[in-house]
Amino acid sequence: MKKLLPLFLAAASVLAHSAFGQTATTRPVGVVSVQLDANKKAAISIPLELEPIFTGSVTGVSATQITDSSASFGSVSGANYCQIISGNASGRNFWISSNTGTVLTLRTGGGNFLLPVDSSSSNTVNVAVGDKYRIVPMYTLAGLFGSTSADCVLKYGNNPNNADVITIYVDGSLSAYYNNGTNWKNAGNAGDSTNYNTLGIIPTSGIAVTRRAGGASATLEFLGSVPDIAPKIQVPGGVKIARSFPAPGGTTLGKLGFANISNWTKHNNPNNADQVTVYRPDNTLSGYFLNSAGIWKNAGNAGDSTDYTNILIPPGSGFGVSRKGSSTGPSTLVQTELTYNLNN
């Protein structure tokens, strides 16, 4: 089978701990541990959310900003994101690039978040006055993987060729980082002197981990709250990219929602169809595509008649997306479904 996302050659082993507790006023909280095997590449996701630091209502909106006239923001830009939690845009997440006391300037990832991403769709994704939002801290490179030789759980090195490399989707493009034993650096720009320790990662951004020879197995531990909003996942056209479904129970191909977007390319030949690459529970890497009838099929076995709509994407595992044909246009927002109900 053709590998759709070369970054991913082996799945991360995922251990989900039953450490959840709940009160009447809080979301369930818990711990999810993700194990990274030595000398193997993996795709991981952020399965939990950190607790919001502010919740409010939108009183004004423009091309790149939302206003909350009743707010009094301190400095919230940098390692926080804005999560829309009601209205048509519910489930959208945006980095906060700067702010005043009442205005958040958002990084839209290459798309205009005020307009429907797919103009032919009746399901608009506009942010509107009256929508509820919250400001949520992001997990950071240093927070997840450590910052120096003393606490970095991955292999560090003096250049990206002998260090483990983290690849994530930032502002419309893939960016790679490595730890030099002192801090996180830009793997694609040797002249960049920036310290990327505090670089935040949006929960729907998949994290690709390229592991070098000589590294040891590592365990990442996420402590946070169970997501209560089904995310909208941005899928760019014409690229191969890692994405993530932030939830401690994982999800399925069907609940990811790709079958419901109008410019997803379906075809009976997997070579002509958009594909999703996932990690099966038995730790094998498999690609899937939607045939002309809208059924998820195995891209690596043309004779397999199984419907893979309910195939599991385990908690903590990322997935790859490869788009082809006429789908090489603008980004699409995919509305997912949660696999649980926190109201019960």
Side-chain angles (χ1 to χ4, degrees), residues 64-251:
T64 59
Q65 296 178 326
I66 64 171
T67 299
D68 182 349
S69 58
S70 65
S72 181
F73 301 127
S75 178
V76 296
S77 62
N80 296 294
Y81 65 97
C82 177
Q83 182 182 67
I84 309 300
I85 58 176
S86 73
N88 286 337
S90 177
R92 297 208 66 183
N93 299 318
F94 306 97
W95 273 280
I96 302 171
S97 60
S98 64
N99 71 276
T100 67
T102 59
V103 178
L104 302 176
T105 299
L106 306 177
R107 293 155 61 177
T108 61
N112 186 340
F113 71 90
L114 290 178
L115 302 175
V117 173
D118 175 9
S119 60
S120 66
S121 172
S122 61
N123 181 24
T124 63
V125 291
N126 296 28
V127 176
V129 171
D131 287 351
K132 303 293 184 182
Y133 71 93
R134 56 193 177 201
I135 297 174
V136 186
M138 288 186 278
Y139 292 93
T140 64
L141 284 176
L144 283 178
F145 302 104
S147 57
T148 69
S149 59
D151 64 357
C152 186
V153 298
L154 299 180
K155 184 182 180 183
Y156 56 89
N158 56 12
N159 66 67
N161 295 320
N162 56 31
D164 291 346
V165 174
I166 303 298
T167 305
I168 58 176
Y169 187 67
V170 179
D171 279 354
S173 62
L174 290 170
S175 298
Y177 305 90
Y178 73 101
N179 192 286
N180 65 2
T182 302
N183 52 60
W184 285 91
K185 309 302 293 183
N186 185 340
N189 184 354
D192 185 353
S193 61
T194 306
N195 180 339
Y196 287 95
N197 281 358
T198 60
L199 180 72
I201 304 172
I202 290 285
T204 49
S205 292
I207 305 171
V209 185
T210 302
R211 309 220 61 197
R212 306 300 186 193
S217 296
T219 300
L220 305 180
E221 191 166 87
F222 297 89
L223 173 63
S225 298
V226 175
D228 59 351
I229 301 293
K232 288 182 172 67
I233 298 176
Q234 185 179 12
V235 182
V239 298
K240 298 175 182 179
I241 190 172
R243 296 280 75 180
S244 167
F245 181 81
T251 188

Side-chain angles (χ1 to χ4, degrees), residues 266-268 290-296:
K266 304 173 185 177
H267 201 280
N268 289 329
L290 283 168
N291 67 11
S292 298
I295 304 299
W296 283 104

Side-chain angles (χ1 to χ4, degrees), residues 10-13 35-42 211 215-218 283:
S13 300
Q35 182 175 323
L36 298 176
D37 296 331
N39 303 324
K40 293 183 179 180
K41 298 181 181 180
R211 309 220 61 197
S217 296
N283 284 347

Side-chain angles (χ1 to χ4, degrees), residues 297-310:
K297 309 301 291 184
N298 185 341
N301 184 354
D304 187 351
S305 61
T306 306
D307 180 351
Y308 286 93
T309 299
N310 294 318

